[in-house]
Every structure is written in structure tokens, then in C-alpha cells.
Amino acid sequence: MKILLGISGGIAAYKTPELVRLLKKAGHQVRVACTRNALELVSRIALETVSGEPVLFETFTPRTHPGVEHIDLAGWPDAVVIAPATANVIAKLACGLADDFLTTVLLATPAPVWIAPGMNTRMWEHPATLENVQRLIGRGVGVIGPDSGELACGTSGPGRMSEPSVIVGILEEHFARPRPLAGRRVLITAGATREHLDPVRFISNPSTGRMGVALARAARELGAEVTLVHGHLEVPVPDGVVAVPAGSAIELHRAVFEWKDRADLLIMTAAVGDYMSASPAAEKMKKEALGATLTLQLVRTPDILAELAQSGNDPSGAGTAPRAPRPKLVGFAAETAGGDESRLLELARQKLSRKGCDALFANDVSIAGAGFAAETNQGVLLFADGHVVWVPQGTKDQVAASLLESVVASLLL
Ligand SMILES: Cc1cc2nc3c(=O)[nH]c(=O)nc-3n(C[C@H](O)[C@H](O)[C@H](O)COP(=O)(O)O)c2cc1C
């Protein structure tokens, strides 16, 4: 594998020549990019000697490189690991700052990124650092450590960078993981649509987009190229995922039909409004003009899932027209079954046969810890051939991983 090691100005930078050595010993190609401050704490010559490559840290250099060096380097690695990751670099990465060579590469790379934080305990436990790390985790950045132990500042506690051998072990484990979706393209919809009545009012729903985002992250981890068509989201789009914003049901319909032919699998988790205003006002409706009551005329939005399911079928119905390929199609259904599993399954069966998709995941939003705005989810995954997989309660990341495992095994292998 090609690994880019990013080094920032933490005291544990002195351990990075050993990290380079271990990565190379494990058979990886290693290049090093660092901050200027890192070179105060580790020798450039040592890094260049062990890596056998120049250490890159300057954005503006005399033009010896034929292309744009930070962009070319960003496209080179299979994985990026920043060790040590200072509080400063973590904050910059969380905000998307690119004010030096390393952070510019980090913003431009499509490769998966890990950080191995290393810093004083108070810096690590500062709410700003913890919040930044959470933001990065939400975007799919891997976090290795930190360990708890003796620190360079003479104190002891959490903040010690993980040992180089541990960092190498975690990367190796990642590379060894099966990637059944490598070379496959997955299209996912997520979030809530907003059906505007006028420019300042809309009808919507409580979806946060967490489930779709978790699926996008899980599909990326299985090696897929992922596109996320999304309405309103309350969580960030994971790194390495192509985001296509679509505000309303009509926009989401258009985006999905535009992207579907490039997908092998389409998972519809977006909470798409069923009704929209029959005649949205171009200008803000004035209360004074409307009076004490407001009667709205709503019309049905397109049934995207059913249309998609039909889109691969022979439109003549005579079996003569060529069947256009369509991606495998997984729908989501938020049902209120009052905690009754057999009722949930029955509702899922009805919806699956009405829509004609290949699989349907139904969750019972009337129970605690399932569905809208919850951190967790659970439900039943029903396939068109009748087989059923019950997914137990777990975080949305855990539910996404088990859903994808079943979907890949049943529909794509
Ligand atoms: C001797 C020394 C050791 C330092 N160790 C750390 C550290 O372990 N972690 C950290 O976040 N900052 C540490 N700092 C502070 C950073 O070097 C400082 O925040 C700097 O701006 C980080 O720059 P960079 O992220 O661009 O490399 C240290 C500073 C000094 C002088």
C-alpha cells in the first residue's frame, strides 16, 4: 500500500522515523509530509533516510515538480496517517483550513485518513479538541489512541500518542479487511426534504439523515464509490463521499434519476415528503392578507421508490422492449407498529410488494431507540424473495454495517 505519513509538531514526532521504518518493513511505500513545526522536533534528514524520499513541507517552492505538488501528492496514497496529530492540526482538519503544505494535502486527498493524536492531557480533554475529534469521526476519519501514560510535560494521563507498532497494526488490520464493494458504486439518499409553501415556510419531517450517512460511511469502508443525494442533514457528509444536495422531493427525484444509471446499488433512506404545495408562492405570504386560517392545497409528490423499481422493467409489458438495467434497490420504511414485530413485518411485506423494490428495511418509530432523530435504530430487512433478517438495536453505524452485509450478500454477490 502507498501510505502518506503526515507529521505535525507534537513531541511524539521523535518517534516517527521508527513508524516509517515499521511501515516499510511491513511492505508499504511511505512518503512523508509535515508541518514546519514538526521539523523542530524530528530531523528531516532522519526521515528522508528511513523513507528514502524527500520530506515535503513547503507549499510555495521553486518549480522543480512538473504539476501542482500538493494535489499530486494528495492523489497518491491509499491511506493517510497523521502521527502525531497536534491539537492544532486536528482543529485545522475539522475546520477545513489549508494554510500549509500538510493541511492543504489533507483537504485535497480522497484517501481514508487516520489521526494518532498526541498532546498534553488538558489539551486533549479541552472541549474544543474533543469536539473537533468528534467532527472528524463523523466525517469518517479514523482515530488511533491516544494512550494514557507518561507525557513529555512530566505529567501522566490520556494524550500519549499510540506506539508506532500499534499504529501499524491498526492500518494493517484495515488493509486486511475484505472490501466486497471495491469497484462498485452505491447511491444513497438521506435526510429530510422540505416542501416550500413560500420562500420562508416549508413542510418537512424530523429526519436527521444519520442513518443514510452511516450507510454511506459503511459502504465507503467496504470499498464502494459512494454518492449521497441528500435533503436537510444534521450530520456532516463523510469524507470521500460525493454529496449531491437536493432540497425538495422534486429535486431529490431529479437527482436520483440523474445518478441512478451510474449505481450498482441504490439505498433510499431519505425521508421524502409525500405531499407538496399545489402552488408554492414565489413571494412570502403575508399573514395580514391570509387572515385567521390558512387552507393549503397539497398534491402528491412523485413516488420515487416505485418509479425506480419500474425503471428497469419492460415498458411495453409485452416482453419485447429491452430491459434497461437498474441498480439493486433497497427502500426504507418508517412504520408505527406499536412494538408488535409481526405487525411491523406485515407492514414491510405490504410496502415491499407495493413498491416493487429488491429489499426493504422497516423500523418501528413508535418504540424508543428506533428511527427519526434517535442515535440508535433496529428493524427488519425483508427481501423480495421473502427472506427476512431482523437487525437488533445498535448505533446507526452498527445497524448500517449489518444491513449492508446482508444486502451485499443477497443482492450483489
Ligand atoms: C517542545 C514542544 C512540544 C510540543 N508538543 C506538543 C504535542 O505533543 N501536542 C500538541 O498538540 N502540541 C504540542 N506542542 C505545541 C505545538 O507545537 C503548537 O501548537 C504548534 O502550533 C503546532 O503546529 P503544527 O500543528 O502546525 O505542527 C509542542 C510544542 C513544543 C515547543
Side-chain angles (χ1 to χ4, degrees):
M1 292 289 165
K2 292 183 276 189
I3 297 179
L4 176 64
L5 171 62
I7 308 174
S8 53
I11 190 67
Y14 81 88
K15 296 182 179 175
T16 55
E18 173 67 356
L19 178 54
V20 174
R21 191 186 72 78
L22 292 176
L23 286 168
K24 289 194 70 167
K25 196 171 157 206
H28 303 295
Q29 287 181 60
V30 183
R31 296 182 71 182
V32 177
C34 65
T35 64
R36 282 184 169 278
N37 292 329
L39 293 180
E40 300 287 339
L41 297 158
V42 60
S43 140
R44 178 179 174 182
I45 309 264
L47 288 167
E48 291 188 341
T49 306
V50 282
S51 69
E53 297 279 347
V55 168
L56 301 170
F57 61 97
E58 279 183 309
T59 315
F60 299 98
T61 50
R63 292 190 57 82
T64 47
H65 181 83
V68 177
E69 196 157 32
H70 59 267
I71 300 298
D72 291 346
L73 184 64
W76 175 79
D78 296 306
V80 179
V81 59
I82 311 167
T86 56
N88 178 54
V89 143
I90 291 172
K92 284 197 205 173
L93 191 53
C95 294
L97 286 179
D99 65 352
D100 64 4
F101 186 81
L102 177 60
T103 48
T104 308
V105 172
L106 291 174
L107 212 55
T109 189
V113 175
W114 278 263
I115 56 169
M119 66 196 74
N120 161 274
T121 303
R122 280 201 300 273
M123 289 172 83
W124 171 248
E125 290 180 345
H126 193 287
T129 305
L130 295 178
E131 211 176 294
N132 289 330
V133 169
Q134 280 312 314
R135 277 168 82 180
L136 294 179
I137 291 172
R139 285 196 221 136
V141 171
V143 180
I144 304 173
D147 292 348
S148 200
E150 272 178 36
L151 299 169
C153 50
T155 58
S156 188
R160 196 181 148 92
M161 186 184 86
S162 295
E163 288 306 318
S165 57
V166 172
I167 297 174
V168 175
I170 286 173
L171 293 179
E172 295 277 274
E173 199 187 296
H174 170 79
F175 292 134
R177 224 177 277 158
R179 301 194 170 271
L181 290 180
R184 301 294 191 101
R185 287 172 297 186
V186 177
L187 181 60
I188 297 173
T189 68
T193 62
R194 290 176 169 182
E195 310 309 328
H196 274 268
L197 307 176
D198 70 6
V200 300
R201 300 179 181 92
F202 55 78
I203 303 173
S204 191
N205 60 66
S207 169
T208 59
R210 274 201 185 86
M211 194 62 234
V213 164
L215 278 161
R217 205 166 23 240
R220 264 295 280 155
E221 275 176 17
L222 295 182
E225 276 174 47
V226 184
T227 303
L228 187 73
V229 172
H230 66 87
H232 175 74
L233 293 180
E234 286 176 24
V235 285
V237 174
D239 281 355
V241 168
V242 176
V244 180
S248 65
I250 294 287
E251 284 169 19
L252 200 123
H253 178 269
R254 193 181 309 129
V256 165
F257 273 80
E258 207 175 298
W259 284 84
K260 79 171 174 64
D261 294 337
R262 280 167 272 179
D264 301 296
L265 172 66
L266 202 169
I267 308 179
M268 294 277 296
T269 73
V272 182
D274 292 316
Y275 289 90
M276 61 188 176
S277 168
S279 51
E283 292 190 356
K284 182 181 173 184
M285 298 184 290
K286 295 286 181 200
K287 276 194 306 244
E288 299 74 20
L290 292 169
T293 59
L294 168 61
T295 305
L296 295 172
Q297 194 183 9
L298 302 177
V299 290
R300 286 290 299 269
T301 55
D303 188 336
I304 305 177
L305 193 55
E307 267 187 54
L308 280 166
Q310 287 304 312
S311 69
N313 293 343
D314 174 1
S316 72
T320 48
R323 290 170 74 90
R326 69 152 169 81
K328 296 291 180 191
L329 196 54
V330 181
F332 263 61
E335 303 290 354
T336 46
D340 179 344
E341 286 192 346
S342 56
R343 174 149 171 73
L344 180 66
L345 185 56
E346 185 46 36
L347 290 168
R349 281 214 171 94
Q350 287 167 12
K351 185 159 179 177
L352 182 81
S353 75
R354 229 175 26 245
K355 302 286 184 182
C357 46
D358 301 299
L360 187 99
F361 178 73
N363 54 345
D364 183 353
V365 293
S366 56
I367 60 173
F372 284 147
E375 296 287 338
T376 54
N377 205 356
Q378 69 184 82
V380 62
L381 178 63
L382 174 66
F383 288 89
D385 66 6
H387 86 275
V388 169
V389 179
W390 287 96
V391 181
Q393 191 171 100
T395 64
K396 287 189 173 171
D397 281 324
Q398 289 165 337
V399 169
S402 22
L403 274 178
L404 266 186
E405 192 185 332
S406 301
V407 164
V408 169
S410 302
L411 301 180
L412 292 181
L413 292 185

